[in-house]
Amino acid sequence: DVTHLDVAGHRANGIAHMPADRLHEGINRERSVFDNIALRLYRDPAYRRGIFLRRGAMQRRVQELVGEYSIRIPSAAIDAGALSGGNQQRVIAARELLDDPAVVIAEEPTWGLDVQAAEFLYGQLTELKARGAAILVVSSDLDELMEIADTIVVLYSGRLAGRVPAAEATVELLGSMMTGAA
């Protein structure tokens, strides 16, 4: 039961979260891209020497992630709030997926991303799934869900309205579940 754990508790249990509200919950707009990604590094023994942080190693890892996730920035020192929405989403994805979480909760994960970035993110989630991670995607994009999900669960008025294998899902069926008609 992880219901009452704080963020550190969730992370200690291998849970990553990509919130739908990236501006208020996903990033710290007043901090740099480096700081936003490094939030996931500073507890890792590979980036510490006793009580001191190995800032050079952290900077190298952040630069690797900036490249891997195609975060388009002049420098990792730029404030995350100055980035486009798509680049903010890339920063969040890079931070949340960097340490192979056991569980990923991704709310509207491709919102604001171009097709290439969305495909890259799908690939990252698929790799995590292949390594045994549980991936929960919350999305209002039915086409996206039918493309990437194994199973689609629909809630209506706080209750389970239906569950269907993604291969059997249609927009019509999901729509009827979403309106409580199914």
Side-chain angles (χ1 to χ4, degrees):
D1 181 9
V2 297
T3 307
H4 301 291
L5 294 178
D6 60 9
V7 173
H10 286 135
R11 288 186 175 163
N13 281 281
I15 301 170
H17 180 226
M18 297 172 60
D21 185 351
R22 63 178 160 234
L23 283 176
H24 297 101
E25 296 175 10
I27 62 165
N28 183 329
R29 293 176 290 180
E30 288 84 37
R31 302 299 301 199
S32 68
V33 169
F34 172 83
D35 289 341
N36 273 273
I37 294 175
L39 286 172
R40 205 63 183 221
L41 299 175
Y42 77 95
R43 291 179 190 247
D44 186 330
Y47 301 100
R48 301 184 71 78
R49 188 173 299 123
I51 62 169
F52 299 100
L53 294 176
R54 296 180 59 221
R55 195 157 173 87
M58 292 172 86
Q59 287 173 329
R60 284 187 293 281
R61 183 63 178 129
V62 168
Q63 279 309 120
E64 289 172 3
L65 291 165
V66 164
E68 285 176 36
Y69 283 81
S70 300
I71 303 169
R72 296 177 186 105
I73 52 174
S75 161
I78 190 170
D79 284 349
L83 303 179
S84 68
N87 275 321
Q88 289 173 352
Q89 191 72 356
R90 288 179 174 102
V91 168
I92 294 165
R95 180 191 66 225
E96 293 301 312
L97 304 181
L98 73 87
D99 56 358
D100 289 332
V103 176
V104 177
I105 302 167
E107 299 178 66
E108 306 290 349
T110 59
W111 183 68
L113 295 182
D114 57 48
V115 173
Q116 183 179 10
E119 289 296 324
F120 175 78
L121 182 56
Y122 293 154
Q124 295 297 99
L125 294 174
T126 300
E127 285 179 26
L128 284 168
K129 179 182 141 195
R131 291 195 296 263
I135 312 294
L136 172 64
V137 176
V138 180
S139 179
S140 57
D141 184 339
L142 300 183
D143 292 327
E144 174 180 61
L145 289 174
M146 289 188 294
E147 183 179 332
I148 66 170
D150 294 324
T151 302
I152 298 174
V153 175
V154 177
L155 302 177
Y156 175 76
S157 294
R159 298 192 186 279
L160 179 65
R163 176 186 180 121
V164 62
E168 297 172 20
T170 64
V171 171
E172 293 78 15
L173 174 61
L174 296 176
S176 68
M177 288 181 199
M178 292 167 63
T179 61

